[in-house]
Amino acid sequence: MTSQQVAMPRVSGGIYANMCDVLQSSGTKVLHFVVGLVALLALWWLAIFLVTLDPSNSQFKDFAPRAAFEALPALWQDGIIPDAISSSGFRLGMGMFLAIVIGVPIGIMMGRSLWFQQLTNAPFQFLRMISPLSWEPIAVVVFAGWEEAIIFLIAVAAVWPVAFSTAAGLAKIDPSWFKVARNLGAKPWHMVTRIILPAITFDVLTGIRLALGVAWIVIIPAEFLGVTSGFGYAIQDSRESLEYSSLMALLVVIGAVGFVLDSAIVMLIKRYSWHRG
């Protein structure tokens, strides 16, 4: 028997062990996911159950999980959920696009230029601490329509996590990388494309993840007024129509869409970051 024939079972055994580890890890994650959702639903049901023990609070039965899930098919068939996903998704996408296009270059300048960082740190921190929704009255006056105003509010909310995460990632780059690159004849564009962007991918995507969470929170109240589409409008309409089961169903959909968006960014972080090792 040759040495290669002896080694084959060991290789197969190693692959089998790795597959078992992956399956076990995936199974554990799925179990945690299911248990967490079940616990959340149980708390939701228990809260409504305790409230409705008092006969005078019987109207709160429409807030229960069963009523919410029973309302989901009708909301989908009537086009309320698809239209809300389309409208809110477009506004979110445009606002995030502007935040990334503006935030990443600002972050690179903050991380690469000490004088620019010192000059802009105080005003940027000041602007970052202003609630995005506080800009709503000004946005309505400045922009021609509510569509543009909402996109502006999303961009204002999302630009700061992107910019500061980019700057933090750039600050962690070893300065010797740039010296070596210059000695090898690298141009400024090479510095950006071959050193800066690959090195800060993890931090940029992390900033985008944080920005996405903030933007998804901001877009709902921003759609309460002035527009006739989106999740915010659908919630407002359900409240005014006293369709509380539909209102709760929309909250479930908002949470689900937000979870999917966040999970997509996490997958990108794991896929494209050099930190994944």
Side-chain angles (χ1 to χ4, degrees), residues 47-89:
I48 301 301
F49 174 77
L50 294 176
V51 170
T52 53
L53 286 176
D54 186 350
S56 62
N57 295 330
S58 59
Q59 71 274 14
F60 287 101
K61 290 182 179 179
D62 290 337
F63 290 90
R66 180 176 179 179
F69 285 107
E70 288 177 350
L72 282 173
L75 290 173
W76 185 271
Q77 293 174 2
D78 293 341
I80 295 177
I81 293 178
D83 291 345
I85 293 176
S86 176
S87 300
S88 296

Side-chain angles (χ1 to χ4, degrees), residues 69-150:
F69 285 107
E70 288 177 350
L72 282 173
L75 290 173
W76 185 271
Q77 293 174 2
D78 293 341
I80 295 177
I81 293 178
D83 291 345
I85 293 176
S86 176
S87 300
S88 296
F90 170 77
R91 295 168 187 141
L92 181 71
M94 290 299 298
M96 287 297 301
F97 173 77
L98 292 175
I100 294 171
V101 170
I102 297 173
V104 171
I106 289 178
I108 292 176
M109 292 177 65
M110 291 173 62
R112 286 287 292 154
S113 176
L114 181 60
W115 71 266
F116 182 83
Q117 180 186 16
Q118 294 175 343
L119 180 66
T120 59
N121 182 64
F124 283 172
Q125 292 291 349
F126 177 82
L127 293 172
R128 184 176 70 91
M129 297 308 295
I130 300 176
S131 171
L133 293 176
S134 301
W135 294 97
E136 188 171 358
I138 300 175
V140 173
V141 175
V142 172
F143 294 96
W146 274 95
E147 199 78 21
E148 296 82 0
I150 293 175

Side-chain angles (χ1 to χ4, degrees), residues 80-96 99 132-133 150-151 153-159 161 207-224 229-235 249-263 265:
I80 295 177
I81 293 178
D83 291 345
I85 293 176
S86 176
S87 300
S88 296
F90 170 77
R91 295 168 187 141
L92 181 71
M94 290 299 298
M96 287 297 301
L133 293 176
I150 293 175
I151 292 174
L153 294 176
I154 296 171
V156 168
V159 68
I208 292 174
R209 183 187 182 189
L210 296 174
L212 185 64
V214 175
W216 190 239
I217 294 173
V218 168
I219 191 175
I220 305 303
E223 292 177 336
F224 281 166
S229 61
F231 280 110
Y233 169 78
I235 289 177
L250 288 169
L251 292 182
V252 171
V253 175
I254 290 172
V257 172
F259 179 82
V260 171
L261 292 174
D262 182 77
S263 299
I265 298 298

Side-chain angles (χ1 to χ4, degrees), residues 171-255:
K172 294 184 292 186
I173 299 179
D174 190 344
S176 62
W177 294 3
F178 298 104
K179 295 180 181 179
V180 172
R182 280 193 292 266
N183 292 336
L184 294 176
K187 304 297 183 182
W189 179 249
H190 295 145
M191 297 285 191
V192 175
T193 58
R194 300 297 179 88
I195 298 179
I196 294 177
L197 291 181
I200 65 174
T201 299
F202 175 85
D203 299 277
V204 171
L205 291 176
T206 301
I208 292 174
R209 183 187 182 189
L210 296 174
L212 185 64
V214 175
W216 190 239
I217 294 173
V218 168
I219 191 175
I220 305 303
E223 292 177 336
F224 281 166
L225 300 173
V227 293
T228 57
S229 61
F231 280 110
Y233 169 78
I235 289 177
Q236 185 78 353
D237 185 62
S238 297
R239 185 188 69 83
E240 294 178 352
S241 303
L242 303 181
E243 298 176 355
Y244 297 125
S245 59
S246 298
L247 190 153
M248 297 303 296
L250 288 169
L251 292 182
V252 171
V253 175
I254 290 172

Side-chain angles (χ1 to χ4, degrees), residues 9-32:
R10 296 179 182 177
V11 174
S12 300
I15 296 175
Y16 176 77
N18 291 335
M19 291 178 62
C20 289
D21 292 339
V22 171
L23 292 175
Q24 184 178 5
S25 177
S26 300
T28 302
K29 292 180 180 178
V30 172
L31 178 62
H32 291 165

